[in-house]
Amino acid sequence: MAETTEIPVWLSIPTGYAELPLDDIASTVDVTRRLVDELGTDEQREAGEFVFSSLYFFLSALAERNAVYCGIGRHLSALNNQLITSSLVVTVMDFPGERNPRLVLRDLLIGKTRAHETGQADIVDLPRGPAAFFEHTLALPNPATAGAEVPVWQLEAFVPSPAGDRLVTIELSTPFAEHGPQYRTMVVEMANGVAFEPPAPADPLAALLG
């Protein structure tokens, strides 16, 4: 796991992810565009404008919906050692007042049903408290082919604070849909590692005593 990222909650980002900016987005995308224009292949330049426009829209939309982390990951699949990519997004939302966290999760999953989102929904008890998981496959536009769609596997984890006044959402998506289920363990471990209070400082005496 990577170092804990500086966001309003405490959690660890798995290895293999490169963070994308959620502020000063236009400047970062522009610099990347110029690098591709100078160093990229003809195919990369040809697809560049569509890809960078989509990236700008994607990151801006995430920033507006309270995203605190966005990363792109590259991993070798456990199925066939193929290099696969995925995106990882963490959002944090605050609610007024306190509420039973299980009711927060119940209402969230009811909302998905009312929005006609279909998938596998579960509320489970993790060592740190309850969490909800929602797994499904979406048909999204393919950036490489205009007008075409590609299946995207997605797993969302929802972790409420003990007081029910804050909700962390972890969203992992991959266009390598058949490889998606191997990310389940990683997302569950991330959800179980979410903390709403800073970790206690290490005890140097305990470290010396083993």
Side-chain angles (χ1 to χ4, degrees):
M1 298 293 241
E3 290 294 324
T4 301
T5 190
E6 293 183 9
I7 58 178
V9 294
W10 286 262
L11 78 162
S12 293
I13 303 299
T15 57
Y17 284 92
E19 186 171 4
L20 297 178
L22 290 169
D23 53 11
D24 199 18
I25 296 169
S27 175
T28 302
V29 172
D30 184 60
V31 169
T32 308
R33 179 189 287 112
R34 279 184 280 150
L35 285 174
V36 171
D37 287 342
E38 294 174 10
L39 305 175
T41 64
D42 291 340
E43 291 80 6
Q44 289 172 332
R45 291 192 201 86
E46 184 177 347
E49 192 55 43
F50 177 80
V51 171
F52 290 126
S53 296
S54 300
L55 179 62
Y56 177 82
F57 176 81
F58 173 67
L59 293 175
S60 298
L62 289 179
E64 290 177 0
R65 58 180 263 212
N66 300 314
V68 294
Y69 176 86
C70 175
I72 299 296
R74 289 160 56 89
H75 301 89
L76 292 178
S77 172
L79 298 180
N80 58 6
N81 218 36
Q82 176 185 354
L83 183 64
I84 58 178
T85 59
S86 62
S87 64
L88 180 65
V89 176
V90 179
T91 61
V92 178
M93 293 190 65
D94 290 312
F95 305 106
E98 296 187 0
R99 195 163 180 237
N100 186 318
R102 289 184 176 278
L103 296 180
V104 173
L105 297 176
R106 183 204 63 180
D107 290 351
L108 187 150
L109 295 181
I110 289 175
K112 285 189 170 292
T113 299
R114 289 175 176 168
H116 305 291
E117 296 186 43
T118 57
Q120 177 63 41
D122 297 286
I123 295 178
V124 300
D125 287 314
L126 298 177
R128 294 195 177 192
F133 296 89
F134 189 76
E135 180 179 331
H136 57 157
T137 301
L138 308 169
L140 297 179
N142 185 351
T145 308
E149 292 185 331
V150 61
V152 174
W153 182 91
Q154 186 176 85
L155 178 58
E156 297 171 282
F158 304 96
V159 184
S161 64
D165 57 351
R166 175 166 281 184
L167 179 71
V168 173
T169 300
I170 300 167
E171 180 183 290
L172 188 141
S173 306
T174 178
F176 297 86
E178 68 276 18
H179 299 265
Q182 66 189 278
Y183 286 102
R184 289 171 181 153
T185 299
M186 186 187 80
V187 175
V188 171
E189 289 177 349
M190 278 192 71
N192 187 49
V194 170
F196 295 89
E197 298 291 340
D203 183 350
L205 180 59
L208 289 173
L209 295 176

